[in-house]
Amino acid sequence: MTGEKIDSSVDLTGEKIHWSQDVSYGQYLELDSILSAQTLRSDKHDEMMFIIIHQASELWMKLSIHEMTAAMECLKEDNLDLAMKMVARIARIQEQLTQSWNVLSTMTPKDYLSFRDALGQSSGFQSYQYRMIEFSLGNKNKGMIEAHKDHPNIYAQVKNVLENPSIYDLTLQLLARRGFDLPAECLERDWSEPYQAHPDVEAAWKKVYENGEEYWDLYDWAEKLVDLEHRFQTWRFAHMKTVERIIGFRRGTGGTGGVSYLVKALDLRFFPELWTVRTSL
């Protein structure tokens, strides 16, 4: 019948399934590109798992950056409710990232060493998305961007995050706008330098914590940040223990000290006064 639209759906067990689509599931997700991105450099079985876990982690980090960027814009606009939703989502993403190490830990030292040479000098240390997340959280280190100097576009992205306020810097500016007396050196400074804890900032947080009903949104935001850092450090710890389990204390492929380097990172604090204030309450 000319001009009539043919119904290509089929009723299966009571469900009307449409087999002809303008955009299919695979097209929408660009699965052809994603599923063809696993290029093995050896003939060893476990290399596939190694690649997929790290690729999936980078996708989760991309989402973390997306949420973090939006949350920081919300902070500038004093929209704490929306910022909290985004930060809570990042904390759940961290759970997924932590779980990925459990999968990787099923690989034995022998499995890894069978294809390790194929990695060359590539290393997770070179992950620019990881570095952007760290910088956004406040772990600023100018020297770290040099790992990306041979890639101008990536270098510019990482440098931009380095030179702008972290989520904690923006939080302190919010506290100041709310009337808390904070030192000028904590509110306007060289954002590329690591934040230094200050007793006046701890005093401000103590007031928030001791008057939770009056400052409920600030109190809730502070706890969201603590949860975020806690889960980030859990991710780091799981990473360190997985590396130790697989390669012991061998040096990393990118030239770092491997486990010894990862252990040092566990001592870093992103939001120092939110931890020290607990002792003084």
Side-chain angles (χ1 to χ4, degrees):
M1 301 183 195
T2 305
E4 289 189 10
K5 186 174 182 179
I6 299 174
D7 187 355
S8 62
S9 62
V10 178
D11 193 320
L12 298 175
T13 64
E15 298 292 337
K16 200 170 187 179
I17 309 298
H18 294 271
W19 297 110
S20 178
Q21 312 96 358
D22 293 332
V23 179
S24 72
Y25 174 81
Q27 289 171 325
Y28 178 72
L29 296 177
E30 297 194 30
L31 289 182
D32 286 347
S33 297
I34 294 173
L35 299 180
S36 62
Q38 293 73 46
T39 303
L40 303 184
R41 294 176 178 270
S42 76
D43 60 356
K44 304 305 179 183
H45 176 79
D46 287 272
E47 189 183 2
M48 177 66 79
M49 177 184 69
F50 187 85
I51 290 174
I52 288 177
I53 285 175
H54 286 84
Q55 287 179 337
S57 294
E58 290 293 335
L59 285 173
W60 283 122
M61 283 190 273
K62 181 175 182 177
L63 181 56
S64 292
I65 293 169
H66 176 72
E67 298 293 338
M68 180 73 73
T69 301
M72 291 167 75
E73 288 302 313
C74 288
L75 272 184
K76 296 175 186 178
E77 299 168 0
D78 288 15
N79 189 347
L80 266 184
D81 287 342
L82 193 53
M84 280 192 272
K85 177 182 178 181
M86 294 165 178
V87 165
R89 181 174 292 167
I90 296 170
R92 298 305 175 268
I93 293 170
Q94 296 288 1
E95 291 181 1
Q96 298 298 318
L97 287 164
T98 300
Q99 177 61 29
S100 70
W101 296 122
N102 291 334
V103 180
L104 190 63
S105 68
T106 64
M107 184 167 61
T108 69
K110 183 179 178 181
D111 296 333
Y112 178 61
L113 291 174
S114 71
F115 67 86
R116 187 178 192 257
D117 289 345
L119 302 181
Q121 295 302 310
S122 64
S123 166
F125 177 80
Q126 299 156 357
S127 169
Y128 69 91
Q129 290 199 125
Y130 177 83
R131 200 63 59 201
M132 290 169 69
I133 292 171
E134 274 207 321
F135 287 171
S136 294
L137 290 172
N139 185 24
K140 302 294 184 76
N141 186 329
K142 293 179 181 178
M144 292 298 186
I145 67 173
E146 296 308 307
H148 312 290
K149 62 184 178 182
D150 292 334
H151 307 277
N153 290 337
I154 292 173
Y155 184 87
Q157 291 180 57
V158 180
K159 188 171 185 285
N160 181 60
V161 180
L162 173 71
E163 295 178 345
N164 276 285
S166 70
I167 195 168
Y168 194 57
D169 292 322
L170 295 176
T171 296
L172 297 187
Q173 291 178 352
L174 173 65
L175 283 178
R177 292 196 298 272
R178 293 288 187 90
F180 289 87
D181 186 17
L182 299 183
E185 61 265 32
C186 293
L187 301 174
E188 292 295 336
R189 60 188 188 83
D190 181 353
W191 305 121
S192 65
E193 294 293 335
Y195 170 77
Q196 300 297 323
H198 197 287
D200 290 351
V201 173
E202 182 177 327
W205 284 123
K206 185 175 182 181
K207 185 176 180 180
V208 169
Y209 272 82
E210 290 180 339
N211 300 275
E213 293 184 2
E214 181 181 355
Y215 303 111
W216 173 250
D217 62 341
L218 293 174
Y219 175 86
D220 198 16
W221 175 247
E223 285 299 290
K224 289 290 190 298
L225 291 179
V226 169
D227 187 49
L228 179 64
E229 179 167 348
H230 185 167
R231 292 174 190 275
F232 192 90
Q233 293 290 59
T234 300
W235 175 31
R236 276 178 157 173
F237 180 80
H239 181 194
M240 180 270 293
K241 295 306 291 184
T242 301
V243 171
E244 182 180 6
R245 176 173 177 166
I246 295 175
I247 69 169
F249 285 81
R250 296 171 68 106
R251 293 193 68 81
T253 50
T256 69
V259 171
S260 61
Y261 171 79
L262 296 172
V263 167
K264 286 187 292 185
L266 291 173
D267 292 331
L268 299 172
R269 289 288 195 197
F270 299 139
F271 320 128
E273 293 92 353
L274 290 179
W275 294 95
T276 57
V277 71
R278 283 156 161 71
T279 305
S280 62
L281 291 175

